[in-house]
Amino acid sequence: DAEVEAVIDKIRQFRTEKKISIVQLSVESGISRSHLFYIESKKTVPSLETLSKIAKAMKLHLRDFFV
């Protein structure tokens, strides 16, 4: 689904722009490194709860992933 892929691309974009590693994001968000890796590899679709944790860890709003 193109919309889901766009959201996942935004996660990776924000993470790299902010120079946050997968390990650091894992610690800050409470989401396992492997789960974050699978999300960024587009092998799994993140839930809204997961997206919210990722956004909070990167000091973003959930809506930032959808604009």
Side-chain angles (χ1 to χ4, degrees):
D1 184 284
E3 290 87 6
V4 172
E5 288 194 17
V7 168
I8 292 170
D9 290 340
K10 288 253 185 177
I11 292 170
R12 185 180 305 112
Q13 175 190 338
F14 285 128
R15 187 177 63 75
T16 56
E17 283 176 2
K18 292 175 172 282
K19 297 179 177 24
I20 299 171
S21 69
I22 291 266
V23 173
Q24 186 179 357
L25 183 56
S26 173
V27 170
E28 295 289 326
S29 67
I31 301 165
S32 72
R33 290 178 305 218
S34 60
H35 191 60
L36 289 170
F37 177 78
Y38 279 117
I39 291 169
E40 286 198 4
S41 299
K42 300 178 182 173
K43 294 181 181 189
T44 190
V45 176
S47 67
L48 281 175
E49 180 181 359
T50 297
L51 287 175
S52 181
K53 289 178 181 180
I54 292 169
K56 185 175 180 180
M58 291 198 286
K59 298 177 176 44
L60 298 168
H61 296 282
L62 186 56
R63 68 176 174 265
D64 294 331
F65 295 136
F66 298 95
V67 292

